[in-house]
Amino acid sequence: MSANKYVSLNNLSTFLDNIKDTFVTKDDFDIIESLALLNKAAIEANTSALKIMQTDIETLALRITA
C-alpha cells in the first residue's frame, strides 16, 4: 500500500499557524482570495488521496479474490 497518505498532527498544526499568519494582515478581498486558493489546494489534495485510496482498494480486492 502507498505511504504518506494522511497528514500528520504536526503538519496540521503548522498549516493552522500558516492560516493564522495569512489572515492577520489581510483585508476582505485578500481573505476571500486566500480562501479560494486554500479551497483549490484542498480539492487537489482530496483528489489525490481518493486516487490513492482507490488504488489501495483495487489492490486489496485483487488480493482477496486471489
Side-chain angles (χ1 to χ4, degrees):
M1 293 199 178
S2 302
N4 299 324
K5 293 184 278 187
Y6 306 103
V7 177
S8 70
L9 183 57
N10 188 42
N11 285 342
L12 285 174
S13 178
T14 301
F15 177 70
L16 179 60
D17 290 340
N18 290 340
I19 288 175
K20 289 176 186 175
D21 292 342
T22 298
F23 293 129
V24 167
T25 60
K26 302 285 184 180
D27 63 22
D28 285 348
F29 181 75
D30 289 335
I31 291 172
I32 292 169
E33 183 179 27
S34 295
L35 286 173
L37 291 173
L38 288 170
N39 186 51
K40 180 181 180 221
I43 289 170
E44 291 170 355
N46 286 338
T47 300
S48 176
L50 287 172
K51 288 178 183 176
I52 291 169
M53 285 189 291
Q54 182 64 36
T55 300
D56 289 347
I57 290 168
E58 290 169 358
T59 301
L60 181 59
L62 289 172
R63 288 177 56 200
I64 291 171
T65 57

